[in-house]
Structure formats: structure tokens, C-alpha cells
Amino acid sequence: MTEETPGFEEKPDVPSGATPDGAEPKDATPSPEEASPAGDSVQTVGLTAQLDQVRTALGERTGDLQRLQAEYQNYRRRVERDRVTVKEIAVAGLLSELLPVLDDVGRAREHGELVGGFKSVAESLEMVVAKLGLQQFGKEGEPFDPTIHEALMHSYAPDVTEDTCVAILQPGYRIGERTIRPARVAVAEPQPGATPAAAKEEKTDDEESGGTEEV
């Protein structure tokens, strides 16, 4: 007979890792509630990176568009400026060829020969060139300006205080600010050592006022 030790019961061998009877096995995969914060953080970082890339690309495209628009505006201004310049050069070239005719008309008017049909033609010509912007300049008595006057004759005069145009031999012509032909003039400058007329008058007035004595 086999003797049994009182108080001890034999238990069947349980393999390591086995779940005891009555115990539920534990799942190693985290629950959705536990995994959600980490997943949301990764997704947020990814979306932020994509948004930064889109903003960077949008800024670059906006800059390109602004540069392109500025270049186009500059191109339009250059084209308009060149168009105006070409037109002015063409008009100036045409009117330059007509200046000898205008000079003949002026001489005929001075000699009283501008009469009849010739007068009508001459006045029509002057109206046309005036519409094209041609302006005549040069008057006797105005100060000599080498930028718009060409001195063909030179003399001295006691009654001038500066270089003065005393005769207009040929009038000058301009279109806007562009001078087509300078006015050809005779110039007189103050006589060396002479007292200008204005100074003489002032001196005379001073002498008259100073010569009177109160009694």
C-alpha cells in the first residue's frame, strides 16, 4: 500500500507561460484609448510639416508673380517711353527739313512780300508746324544763353549790363524741351571800363538828393 502524506495534495504540472485555470489571458496589444494620444501627436506633426511646405511654396509663387508683374510694368513703361522718343525724333527730323522754308516765309513777311495766295499757303504751313509742337524763340534784348543761342556777331555796348542779344539773325526752334535749332544772334557785351547806364542813373539820383542842403 502507498502511504499518503496528510495535508498535501498533488497538483498537475503546469507549463511555464500557461494561464492558470480560471484566469483570463492578458492581451499584449494596447487598447485604442491607450494608443490614441501617441497616434494623434504623430499625425499632428505630419500635418504641420505639410502645412509649412504649402506655405513656403505659396510664398515662393507669390514672390515670382510679384516679380513678373513688376517686370511687365517696367517693360510697358520702356515701350511707351521708346514710342514717344521715336515719334519726337521723327517729327523733329521732318520739321528740321522745313526750317529753311519757314525762314523764307519770315523774310518775305519782313519785306512785305507775303501777299495773295502765297500768304495763305505760308499761314497754313505755320499752323501745321505749330500743331506738331514747333515753337519759335529768340527776341532782341533778352540775355544771351549759350544753351539756346548761337552768337554769329559780337560787339560792345555801353548801355548793357550783361551779354545781350541785340539782333536776331535767325530765330530758334524747339519741340517741347528739345531744341531743333538754336537762335542765331548778334551779341553785345558791356564796354570794358564803362559804367552801366543803370549805375549812372542811380549815381545821378544820389548826387541830386545829396546836393540839396537844408537851410
Side-chain angles (χ1 to χ4, degrees):
M1 295 180 62
T2 303
E3 295 182 0
E4 297 180 359
T5 304
F8 292 93
E9 296 180 357
E10 294 184 0
K11 295 182 179 180
D13 295 335
V14 179
S16 61
T19 303
D21 295 341
E24 296 181 356
K26 293 183 178 181
D27 190 357
T29 303
S31 63
E33 291 77 4
E34 296 176 350
S36 178
D40 291 346
S41 177
V42 173
Q43 186 176 9
T44 301
V45 171
L47 291 176
T48 302
Q50 292 180 1
L51 181 60
D52 291 340
Q53 292 178 356
V54 171
R55 287 176 177 172
T56 302
L58 179 60
E60 293 176 353
R61 298 299 180 272
T62 302
D64 293 341
L65 180 60
Q66 291 174 347
R67 284 191 295 271
L68 182 61
Q69 186 176 9
E71 291 176 359
Y72 177 67
Q73 293 296 334
N74 292 335
Y75 168 75
R76 288 187 59 186
R77 283 193 289 268
R78 285 196 303 270
V79 170
E80 181 64 19
R81 185 170 58 250
D82 293 344
R83 185 184 67 82
V84 173
T85 302
V86 170
K87 179 180 178 181
E88 289 180 352
I89 293 175
V91 172
L94 173 62
L95 294 178
S96 297
E97 299 296 328
L98 294 176
L99 294 186
V101 180
L102 295 175
D103 292 336
D104 292 339
V105 170
R107 284 190 289 268
R109 182 178 284 111
E110 290 176 357
H111 291 84
E113 299 175 355
L114 198 63
V115 293
F118 179 48
K119 179 180 179 181
S120 299
V121 173
E123 291 177 348
S124 298
L125 176 62
E126 291 174 338
M127 290 179 59
V128 170
V129 296
K131 288 182 179 179
L132 292 175
L134 186 67
Q135 298 175 350
Q136 186 183 102
F137 66 90
K139 295 181 180 179
E140 294 182 5
E142 64 185 9
F144 175 74
D145 184 352
T147 62
I148 60 174
H149 296 137
E150 180 182 352
L152 300 183
M153 299 177 63
H154 179 270
S155 63
Y156 294 96
D159 58 343
V160 298
T161 59
E162 59 181 343
D163 293 351
T164 305
C165 299
V166 294
I168 305 301
L169 306 179
Q170 274 187 334
Y173 290 96
R174 67 165 64 98
I175 298 177
E177 300 298 326
R178 182 191 298 271
T179 300
I180 297 180
R181 187 183 73 185
R184 293 165 180 168
V185 300
V187 181
E189 63 177 89
Q191 187 75 30
T195 302
K200 287 182 178 180
E201 294 178 0
E202 183 178 354
K203 184 176 181 181
T204 303
D205 294 339
D206 292 340
E207 290 176 351
E208 291 179 354
S209 61
T212 305
E213 297 181 359
E214 293 184 358
V215 178

